[in-house]
Amino acid sequence: MFVHIHGNLTRQFKALELLHSLLEEELELLCRRDTDAVSALEFSIHELLRQLAVERTELKNSMQGTALLEYAGLLPEEEAQEIRRLYHLIDSLEQHCSRQATQNTDLSLALLDQSQVLLNFLNEQIAQQPERLYSSAGLIRQDRPSAAIYSGRF
């Protein structure tokens, strides 16, 4: 049982190390604004997260409701120490990956906002400006935009 749990925890640790490096690579790509590469990398990150979730579910099922640190308390000291070490390394890496993912999200949302503002500005510059025409009374005619609400009687 120890070999199975230790192997699972080791795979989780290695997956989180890979996730950390992928998140750092994603940040670099976001800084370079390489959207195609970011999109491709996102698929890899999502697949890795899916595999990590499978590992977690497998570990939970094999533990049969026992907490990992409780299980470590039942083992001989050397094995218990190894399980605790992996547990704390995994927890630390999870927190670091979470912070990195939050930073990446903030940057991508900021880039999205910046792109949206630029797109709105360009759209306003391209949009057709109303012509200033004189009416039959000799005043500048105020044209309504194409969509307008009519009020009053017909």
Short mmCIF file of all heavy atoms in Angstrom, two decimals, residues 53-113:
data_model
loop_
_atom_site.label_atom_id
_atom_site.label_comp_id
_atom_site.label_asym_id
_atom_site.label_seq_id
_atom_site.Cartn_x
_atom_site.Cartn_y
_atom_site.Cartn_z
N ALA A 53 -6.15 15.61 -11.51
CA ALA A 53 -7.42 15.31 -10.83
C ALA A 53 -7.67 13.80 -10.78
O ALA A 53 -8.17 13.28 -9.77
CB ALA A 53 -8.57 16.02 -11.54
N VAL A 54 -7.30 13.09 -11.83
CA VAL A 54 -7.45 11.63 -11.84
C VAL A 54 -6.57 11.01 -10.77
O VAL A 54 -7.00 10.11 -10.03
CB VAL A 54 -7.12 11.06 -13.24
CG1 VAL A 54 -6.97 9.55 -13.21
CG2 VAL A 54 -8.19 11.47 -14.24
N GLU A 55 -5.34 11.49 -10.66
CA GLU A 55 -4.42 10.98 -9.63
C GLU A 55 -4.99 11.23 -8.23
O GLU A 55 -4.92 10.37 -7.36
CB GLU A 55 -3.04 11.63 -9.76
CG GLU A 55 -2.24 11.19 -10.97
CD GLU A 55 -1.74 9.76 -10.88
OE1 GLU A 55 -1.56 9.23 -9.76
OE2 GLU A 55 -1.53 9.17 -11.94
N ARG A 56 -5.53 12.43 -8.03
CA ARG A 56 -6.10 12.75 -6.72
C ARG A 56 -7.28 11.85 -6.38
O ARG A 56 -7.43 11.38 -5.26
CB ARG A 56 -6.58 14.21 -6.70
CG ARG A 56 -5.48 15.21 -6.77
CD ARG A 56 -5.11 15.61 -5.35
NE ARG A 56 -3.88 16.34 -5.35
CZ ARG A 56 -3.81 17.66 -5.21
NH1 ARG A 56 -4.88 18.37 -5.05
NH2 ARG A 56 -2.63 18.25 -5.20
N THR A 57 -8.14 11.63 -7.36
CA THR A 57 -9.30 10.77 -7.14
C THR A 57 -8.87 9.35 -6.83
O THR A 57 -9.42 8.70 -5.93
CB THR A 57 -10.22 10.80 -8.39
OG1 THR A 57 -10.58 12.14 -8.67
CG2 THR A 57 -11.47 9.97 -8.18
N GLU A 58 -7.88 8.87 -7.57
CA GLU A 58 -7.36 7.53 -7.34
C GLU A 58 -6.78 7.40 -5.92
O GLU A 58 -7.02 6.40 -5.23
CB GLU A 58 -6.28 7.22 -8.37
CG GLU A 58 -5.72 5.81 -8.29
CD GLU A 58 -4.63 5.58 -9.32
OE1 GLU A 58 -4.85 5.92 -10.49
OE2 GLU A 58 -3.57 5.07 -8.91
N LEU A 59 -6.04 8.40 -5.49
CA LEU A 59 -5.47 8.38 -4.14
C LEU A 59 -6.57 8.41 -3.08
O LEU A 59 -6.52 7.65 -2.11
CB LEU A 59 -4.52 9.57 -3.94
CG LEU A 59 -3.87 9.68 -2.56
CD1 LEU A 59 -2.95 8.49 -2.31
CD2 LEU A 59 -3.10 10.98 -2.44
N LYS A 60 -7.56 9.24 -3.29
CA LYS A 60 -8.66 9.34 -2.33
C LYS A 60 -9.41 8.02 -2.22
O LYS A 60 -9.75 7.59 -1.11
CB LYS A 60 -9.61 10.46 -2.76
CG LYS A 60 -10.73 10.70 -1.80
CD LYS A 60 -11.61 11.84 -2.27
CE LYS A 60 -12.76 12.05 -1.30
NZ LYS A 60 -13.64 13.11 -1.73
N ASN A 61 -9.64 7.38 -3.37
CA ASN A 61 -10.33 6.09 -3.34
C ASN A 61 -9.51 5.01 -2.65
O ASN A 61 -10.06 4.16 -1.95
CB ASN A 61 -10.70 5.65 -4.76
CG ASN A 61 -11.77 6.52 -5.37
OD1 ASN A 61 -12.52 7.20 -4.67
ND2 ASN A 61 -11.84 6.53 -6.69
N SER A 62 -8.20 5.02 -2.85
CA SER A 62 -7.36 4.01 -2.23
C SER A 62 -7.20 4.24 -0.73
O SER A 62 -6.95 3.29 0.01
CB SER A 62 -6.00 3.96 -2.91
OG SER A 62 -5.27 5.13 -2.65
N MET A 63 -7.36 5.47 -0.29
CA MET A 63 -7.23 5.78 1.14
C MET A 63 -8.48 5.40 1.93
O MET A 63 -8.43 5.30 3.15
CB MET A 63 -6.92 7.27 1.34
CG MET A 63 -5.58 7.72 0.78
SD MET A 63 -4.18 6.99 1.60
CE MET A 63 -4.31 7.72 3.20
N GLN A 64 -9.60 5.22 1.27
CA GLN A 64 -10.86 4.80 1.88
C GLN A 64 -11.26 5.68 3.07
O GLN A 64 -11.61 5.20 4.15
CB GLN A 64 -10.79 3.34 2.32
CG GLN A 64 -10.55 2.40 1.16
CD GLN A 64 -10.36 0.97 1.60
OE1 GLN A 64 -10.26 0.69 2.79
NE2 GLN A 64 -10.31 0.06 0.65
N GLY A 65 -11.18 6.99 2.85
CA GLY A 65 -11.65 7.93 3.87
C GLY A 65 -10.63 8.32 4.92
O GLY A 65 -10.91 9.14 5.78
N THR A 66 -9.46 7.74 4.88
CA THR A 66 -8.41 8.08 5.84
C THR A 66 -7.62 9.26 5.32
O THR A 66 -7.27 9.32 4.15
CB THR A 66 -7.45 6.88 6.04
OG1 THR A 66 -8.21 5.74 6.40
CG2 THR A 66 -6.42 7.17 7.11
N ALA A 67 -7.35 10.21 6.20
CA ALA A 67 -6.54 11.36 5.80
C ALA A 67 -5.10 10.91 5.60
O ALA A 67 -4.62 9.96 6.25
CB ALA A 67 -6.61 12.46 6.86
N LEU A 68 -4.41 11.57 4.70
CA LEU A 68 -3.05 11.18 4.33
C LEU A 68 -2.10 11.28 5.52
O LEU A 68 -1.27 10.39 5.75
CB LEU A 68 -2.55 12.03 3.17
CG LEU A 68 -1.26 11.59 2.53
CD1 LEU A 68 -1.38 10.19 1.96
CD2 LEU A 68 -0.84 12.56 1.46
N LEU A 69 -2.23 12.35 6.29
CA LEU A 69 -1.33 12.51 7.44
C LEU A 69 -1.65 11.51 8.55
O LEU A 69 -0.75 11.10 9.30
CB LEU A 69 -1.38 13.94 7.95
CG LEU A 69 -0.78 14.99 7.00
CD1 LEU A 69 -0.90 16.38 7.60
CD2 LEU A 69 0.66 14.67 6.65
N GLU A 70 -2.91 11.09 8.66
CA GLU A 70 -3.27 10.04 9.62
C GLU A 70 -2.63 8.72 9.20
O GLU A 70 -2.11 7.97 10.03
CB GLU A 70 -4.79 9.86 9.69
CG GLU A 70 -5.51 10.97 10.39
CD GLU A 70 -7.02 10.76 10.35
OE1 GLU A 70 -7.48 9.64 10.07
OE2 GLU A 70 -7.74 11.74 10.61
N TYR A 71 -2.69 8.46 7.89
CA TYR A 71 -2.06 7.25 7.36
C TYR A 71 -0.56 7.27 7.62
O TYR A 71 0.04 6.25 7.98
CB TYR A 71 -2.34 7.13 5.86
CG TYR A 71 -1.55 6.06 5.18
CD1 TYR A 71 -1.87 4.71 5.36
CD2 TYR A 71 -0.47 6.38 4.36
CE1 TYR A 71 -1.13 3.72 4.74
CE2 TYR A 71 0.26 5.39 3.73
CZ TYR A 71 -0.06 4.06 3.93
OH TYR A 71 0.67 3.08 3.31
N ALA A 72 0.05 8.44 7.45
CA ALA A 72 1.49 8.56 7.68
C ALA A 72 1.83 8.26 9.13
O ALA A 72 2.89 7.71 9.43
CB ALA A 72 1.97 9.95 7.30
N GLY A 73 0.92 8.59 10.05
CA GLY A 73 1.16 8.31 11.46
C GLY A 73 1.16 6.83 11.79
O GLY A 73 1.71 6.41 12.81
N LEU A 74 0.56 6.03 10.93
CA LEU A 74 0.51 4.58 11.16
C LEU A 74 1.72 3.85 10.58
O LEU A 74 1.92 2.67 10.87
CB LEU A 74 -0.77 4.00 10.52
CG LEU A 74 -2.09 4.59 11.01
CD1 LEU A 74 -3.24 4.05 10.17
CD2 LEU A 74 -2.29 4.30 12.48
N LEU A 75 2.52 4.53 9.79
CA LEU A 75 3.67 3.91 9.12
C LEU A 75 4.92 3.97 9.99
O LEU A 75 5.00 4.76 10.94
CB LEU A 75 3.95 4.65 7.81
CG LEU A 75 2.89 4.55 6.73
CD1 LEU A 75 3.24 5.48 5.57
CD2 LEU A 75 2.74 3.13 6.24
N PRO A 76 5.92 3.15 9.65
CA PRO A 76 7.23 3.28 10.32
C PRO A 76 7.79 4.68 10.07
O PRO A 76 7.44 5.32 9.08
CB PRO A 76 8.10 2.21 9.64
CG PRO A 76 7.14 1.24 9.04
CD PRO A 76 5.89 1.99 8.74
N GLU A 77 8.65 5.14 10.92
CA GLU A 77 9.11 6.53 10.92
C GLU A 77 9.69 6.98 9.58
O GLU A 77 9.40 8.07 9.10
CB GLU A 77 10.13 6.75 12.04
CG GLU A 77 10.57 8.18 12.20
CD GLU A 77 9.40 9.14 12.50
OE1 GLU A 77 8.45 8.74 13.18
OE2 GLU A 77 9.45 10.29 12.00
N GLU A 78 10.51 6.17 8.96
CA GLU A 78 11.16 6.57 7.71
C GLU A 78 10.13 6.74 6.59
O GLU A 78 10.16 7.74 5.85
CB GLU A 78 12.20 5.52 7.30
CG GLU A 78 12.99 5.91 6.07
CD GLU A 78 14.05 4.87 5.76
OE1 GLU A 78 14.88 4.59 6.65
OE2 GLU A 78 14.04 4.37 4.62
N GLU A 79 9.20 5.80 6.48
CA GLU A 79 8.15 5.90 5.46
C GLU A 79 7.21 7.06 5.76
O GLU A 79 6.79 7.77 4.85
CB GLU A 79 7.38 4.58 5.36
CG GLU A 79 8.21 3.44 4.81
CD GLU A 79 7.46 2.11 4.81
OE1 GLU A 79 6.36 2.04 5.42
OE2 GLU A 79 7.97 1.16 4.21
N ALA A 80 6.87 7.24 7.02
CA ALA A 80 5.99 8.34 7.43
C ALA A 80 6.61 9.68 7.09
O ALA A 80 5.94 10.60 6.61
CB ALA A 80 5.67 8.25 8.92
N GLN A 81 7.90 9.79 7.33
CA GLN A 81 8.60 11.04 7.05
C GLN A 81 8.58 11.35 5.54
O GLN A 81 8.40 12.49 5.14
CB GLN A 81 10.04 10.95 7.56
CG GLN A 81 10.81 12.23 7.47
CD GLN A 81 12.18 12.10 8.10
OE1 GLN A 81 12.60 11.01 8.51
NE2 GLN A 81 12.89 13.20 8.18
N GLU A 82 8.73 10.32 4.71
CA GLU A 82 8.72 10.51 3.26
C GLU A 82 7.32 10.95 2.79
O GLU A 82 7.19 11.86 1.95
CB GLU A 82 9.12 9.20 2.56
CG GLU A 82 9.12 9.29 1.06
CD GLU A 82 10.13 10.27 0.48
OE1 GLU A 82 11.08 10.68 1.18
OE2 GLU A 82 9.96 10.65 -0.69
N ILE A 83 6.27 10.36 3.34
CA ILE A 83 4.90 10.74 2.98
C ILE A 83 4.63 12.18 3.40
O ILE A 83 4.07 12.98 2.63
CB ILE A 83 3.86 9.78 3.62
CG1 ILE A 83 4.00 8.36 3.05
CG2 ILE A 83 2.45 10.31 3.46
CD1 ILE A 83 3.60 8.22 1.61
N ARG A 84 5.03 12.54 4.60
CA ARG A 84 4.83 13.92 5.08
C ARG A 84 5.61 14.93 4.23
O ARG A 84 5.12 16.01 3.91
CB ARG A 84 5.25 14.05 6.54
CG ARG A 84 4.29 13.42 7.50
CD ARG A 84 4.67 13.72 8.95
NE ARG A 84 3.92 12.87 9.84
CZ ARG A 84 4.42 11.83 10.51
NH1 ARG A 84 5.72 11.54 10.43
NH2 ARG A 84 3.66 11.11 11.30
N ARG A 85 6.84 14.56 3.85
CA ARG A 85 7.66 15.44 3.02
C ARG A 85 6.98 15.69 1.67
O ARG A 85 6.85 16.84 1.23
CB ARG A 85 9.04 14.82 2.80
CG ARG A 85 10.00 15.70 2.00
CD ARG A 85 11.32 14.97 1.73
NE ARG A 85 11.18 13.93 0.75
CZ ARG A 85 11.14 14.13 -0.58
NH1 ARG A 85 11.22 15.34 -1.07
NH2 ARG A 85 11.01 13.11 -1.41
N LEU A 86 6.51 14.63 1.04
CA LEU A 86 5.82 14.78 -0.24
C LEU A 86 4.54 15.60 -0.09
O LEU A 86 4.21 16.43 -0.92
CB LEU A 86 5.50 13.41 -0.85
CG LEU A 86 6.66 12.70 -1.53
CD1 LEU A 86 6.27 11.27 -1.89
CD2 LEU A 86 7.11 13.46 -2.75
N TYR A 87 3.82 15.35 1.00
CA TYR A 87 2.57 16.08 1.26
C TYR A 87 2.85 17.58 1.35
O TYR A 87 2.15 18.39 0.72
CB TYR A 87 1.94 15.57 2.55
CG TYR A 87 0.72 16.35 2.97
CD1 TYR A 87 -0.53 16.08 2.42
CD2 TYR A 87 0.82 17.35 3.94
CE1 TYR A 87 -1.65 16.78 2.80
CE2 TYR A 87 -0.30 18.07 4.33
CZ TYR A 87 -1.52 17.78 3.77
OH TYR A 87 -2.63 18.50 4.15
N HIS A 88 3.88 17.96 2.09
CA HIS A 88 4.19 19.39 2.26
C HIS A 88 4.77 20.00 0.98
O HIS A 88 4.48 21.17 0.67
CB HIS A 88 5.14 19.59 3.44
CG HIS A 88 4.50 19.28 4.76
ND1 HIS A 88 3.43 19.99 5.25
CD2 HIS A 88 4.75 18.31 5.68
CE1 HIS A 88 3.04 19.48 6.41
NE2 HIS A 88 3.84 18.46 6.70
N LEU A 89 5.55 19.24 0.23
CA LEU A 89 6.06 19.74 -1.05
C LEU A 89 4.92 19.98 -2.03
O LEU A 89 4.89 21.00 -2.73
CB LEU A 89 7.06 18.75 -1.65
CG LEU A 89 8.44 18.70 -1.01
CD1 LEU A 89 9.26 17.55 -1.59
CD2 LEU A 89 9.16 20.02 -1.20
N ILE A 90 3.98 19.04 -2.07
CA ILE A 90 2.83 19.18 -2.97
C ILE A 90 1.99 20.39 -2.56
O ILE A 90 1.57 21.19 -3.41
CB ILE A 90 1.98 17.89 -2.97
CG1 ILE A 90 2.72 16.79 -3.73
CG2 ILE A 90 0.60 18.12 -3.58
CD1 ILE A 90 2.09 15.41 -3.60
N ASP A 91 1.77 20.57 -1.28
CA ASP A 91 0.98 21.70 -0.80
C ASP A 91 1.66 23.02 -1.16
O ASP A 91 1.01 23.96 -1.63
CB ASP A 91 0.81 21.59 0.72
CG ASP A 91 -0.08 22.69 1.27
OD1 ASP A 91 -1.19 22.89 0.74
OD2 ASP A 91 0.34 23.37 2.24
N SER A 92 2.97 23.10 -0.97
CA SER A 92 3.71 24.32 -1.30
C SER A 92 3.65 24.62 -2.79
O SER A 92 3.43 25.77 -3.20
CB SER A 92 5.15 24.16 -0.84
OG SER A 92 5.92 25.25 -1.25
N LEU A 93 3.84 23.59 -3.62
CA LEU A 93 3.78 23.78 -5.06
C LEU A 93 2.39 24.20 -5.53
O LEU A 93 2.25 25.02 -6.44
CB LEU A 93 4.20 22.50 -5.78
CG LEU A 93 5.62 22.45 -6.31
CD1 LEU A 93 5.94 21.09 -6.88
CD2 LEU A 93 5.90 23.53 -7.30
N GLU A 94 1.36 23.62 -4.91
CA GLU A 94 -0.01 24.00 -5.26
C GLU A 94 -0.24 25.49 -5.01
O GLU A 94 -0.84 26.18 -5.83
CB GLU A 94 -1.02 23.21 -4.43
CG GLU A 94 -1.35 21.86 -4.94
CD GLU A 94 -2.35 21.15 -4.06
OE1 GLU A 94 -2.69 21.67 -2.96
OE2 GLU A 94 -2.79 20.08 -4.46
N GLN A 95 0.21 25.97 -3.87
CA GLN A 95 0.03 27.38 -3.54
C GLN A 95 0.81 28.27 -4.51
O GLN A 95 0.30 29.30 -4.96
CB GLN A 95 0.46 27.64 -2.10
CG GLN A 95 -0.46 27.01 -1.09
CD GLN A 95 0.04 27.19 0.33
OE1 GLN A 95 0.90 28.01 0.59
NE2 GLN A 95 -0.52 26.42 1.26
N HIS A 96 2.00 27.86 -4.86
CA HIS A 96 2.81 28.65 -5.79
C HIS A 96 2.16 28.67 -7.17
O HIS A 96 2.10 29.72 -7.82
CB HIS A 96 4.23 28.09 -5.86
CG HIS A 96 5.17 28.98 -6.60
ND1 HIS A 96 5.65 30.16 -6.07
CD2 HIS A 96 5.68 28.89 -7.84
CE1 HIS A 96 6.43 30.75 -6.96
NE2 HIS A 96 6.47 29.99 -8.05
N CYS A 97 1.67 27.52 -7.61
CA CYS A 97 1.00 27.45 -8.92
C CYS A 97 -0.28 28.29 -8.91
O CYS A 97 -0.61 28.93 -9.92
CB CYS A 97 0.67 26.00 -9.27
SG CYS A 97 2.10 25.01 -9.75
N SER A 98 -0.96 28.29 -7.80
CA SER A 98 -2.18 29.10 -7.70
C SER A 98 -1.87 30.59 -7.83
O SER A 98 -2.56 31.32 -8.54
CB SER A 98 -2.86 28.82 -6.36
OG SER A 98 -3.97 29.66 -6.19
N ARG A 99 -0.81 31.03 -7.16
CA ARG A 99 -0.42 32.44 -7.27
C ARG A 99 0.01 32.78 -8.70
O ARG A 99 -0.34 33.84 -9.22
CB ARG A 99 0.70 32.76 -6.28
CG ARG A 99 0.23 32.86 -4.84
CD ARG A 99 1.31 33.41 -3.92
NE ARG A 99 2.49 32.57 -3.85
CZ ARG A 99 2.66 31.55 -3.01
NH1 ARG A 99 1.70 31.25 -2.16
NH2 ARG A 99 3.77 30.85 -3.01
N GLN A 100 0.75 31.88 -9.34
CA GLN A 100 1.20 32.12 -10.70
C GLN A 100 0.01 32.16 -11.66
O GLN A 100 -0.04 33.00 -12.56
CB GLN A 100 2.18 31.02 -11.13
CG GLN A 100 2.80 31.24 -12.49
CD GLN A 100 3.75 32.42 -12.50
OE1 GLN A 100 4.59 32.54 -11.62
NE2 GLN A 100 3.63 33.27 -13.48
N ALA A 101 -0.95 31.27 -11.47
CA ALA A 101 -2.14 31.25 -12.33
C ALA A 101 -2.95 32.54 -12.15
O ALA A 101 -3.48 33.08 -13.13
CB ALA A 101 -3.00 30.03 -12.01
N THR A 102 -3.03 33.03 -10.93
CA THR A 102 -3.73 34.29 -10.68
C THR A 102 -3.03 35.45 -11.38
O THR A 102 -3.67 36.30 -11.99
CB THR A 102 -3.82 34.56 -9.16
OG1 THR A 102 -4.52 33.48 -8.54
CG2 THR A 102 -4.55 35.86 -8.87
N GLN A 103 -1.71 35.47 -11.31
CA GLN A 103 -0.94 36.51 -11.99
C GLN A 103 -1.14 36.44 -13.50
O GLN A 103 -1.34 37.46 -14.16
CB GLN A 103 0.54 36.36 -11.65
CG GLN A 103 1.41 37.45 -12.23
CD GLN A 103 2.88 37.25 -11.88
OE1 GLN A 103 3.28 36.24 -11.31
NE2 GLN A 103 3.70 38.23 -12.22
N ASN A 104 -1.13 35.23 -14.06
CA ASN A 104 -1.36 35.06 -15.50
C ASN A 104 -2.76 35.52 -15.88
O ASN A 104 -2.94 36.17 -16.92
CB ASN A 104 -1.17 33.60 -15.91
CG ASN A 104 0.26 33.15 -15.81
OD1 ASN A 104 1.14 33.90 -15.40
ND2 ASN A 104 0.51 31.91 -16.17
N THR A 105 -3.74 35.20 -15.06
CA THR A 105 -5.12 35.61 -15.33
C THR A 105 -5.24 37.12 -15.31
O THR A 105 -5.88 37.71 -16.19
CB THR A 105 -6.08 34.99 -14.29
OG1 THR A 105 -5.97 33.56 -14.36
CG2 THR A 105 -7.51 35.38 -14.55
N ASP A 106 -4.64 37.75 -14.31
CA ASP A 106 -4.70 39.21 -14.22
C ASP A 106 -4.08 39.86 -15.45
O ASP A 106 -4.63 40.83 -16.01
CB ASP A 106 -4.00 39.71 -12.96
CG ASP A 106 -4.74 39.35 -11.69
OD1 ASP A 106 -5.94 38.99 -11.78
OD2 ASP A 106 -4.13 39.41 -10.60
N LEU A 107 -2.94 39.34 -15.89
CA LEU A 107 -2.28 39.89 -17.06
C LEU A 107 -3.12 39.68 -18.32
O LEU A 107 -3.29 40.61 -19.13
CB LEU A 107 -0.90 39.28 -17.25
CG LEU A 107 -0.10 39.78 -18.46
CD1 LEU A 107 0.09 41.29 -18.40
CD2 LEU A 107 1.23 39.07 -18.53
N SER A 108 -3.68 38.51 -18.49
CA SER A 108 -4.48 38.26 -19.69
C SER A 108 -5.75 39.11 -19.70
O SER A 108 -6.16 39.61 -20.76
CB SER A 108 -4.83 36.77 -19.82
OG SER A 108 -5.67 36.35 -18.77
N LEU A 109 -6.36 39.32 -18.53
CA LEU A 109 -7.54 40.18 -18.47
C LEU A 109 -7.18 41.65 -18.74
O LEU A 109 -7.94 42.37 -19.39
CB LEU A 109 -8.25 40.05 -17.12
CG LEU A 109 -8.95 38.72 -16.89
CD1 LEU A 109 -9.51 38.65 -15.48
CD2 LEU A 109 -10.05 38.48 -17.92
N ALA A 110 -6.02 42.07 -18.27
CA ALA A 110 -5.56 43.43 -18.56
C ALA A 110 -5.31 43.61 -20.05
O ALA A 110 -5.68 44.64 -20.63
CB ALA A 110 -4.30 43.75 -17.76
N LEU A 111 -4.71 42.62 -20.68
CA LEU A 111 -4.49 42.68 -22.13
C LEU A 111 -5.82 42.68 -22.88
O LEU A 111 -5.96 43.38 -23.89
CB LEU A 111 -3.61 41.52 -22.58
CG LEU A 111 -2.15 41.57 -22.15
CD1 LEU A 111 -1.44 40.27 -22.48
CD2 LEU A 111 -1.44 42.77 -22.75
N LEU A 112 -6.78 41.91 -22.39
CA LEU A 112 -8.10 41.90 -23.02
C LEU A 112 -8.76 43.27 -22.91
O LEU A 112 -9.31 43.78 -23.89
CB LEU A 112 -8.99 40.83 -22.37
CG LEU A 112 -10.44 40.80 -22.82
CD1 LEU A 112 -10.54 40.33 -24.26
CD2 LEU A 112 -11.26 39.93 -21.91
N ASP A 113 -8.70 43.88 -21.72
CA ASP A 113 -9.28 45.22 -21.54
C ASP A 113 -8.60 46.23 -22.45
O ASP A 113 -9.26 47.08 -23.07
CB ASP A 113 -9.15 45.66 -20.08
CG ASP A 113 -10.06 44.89 -19.15
OD1 ASP A 113 -11.01 44.23 -19.65
OD2 ASP A 113 -9.83 44.92 -17.93
#
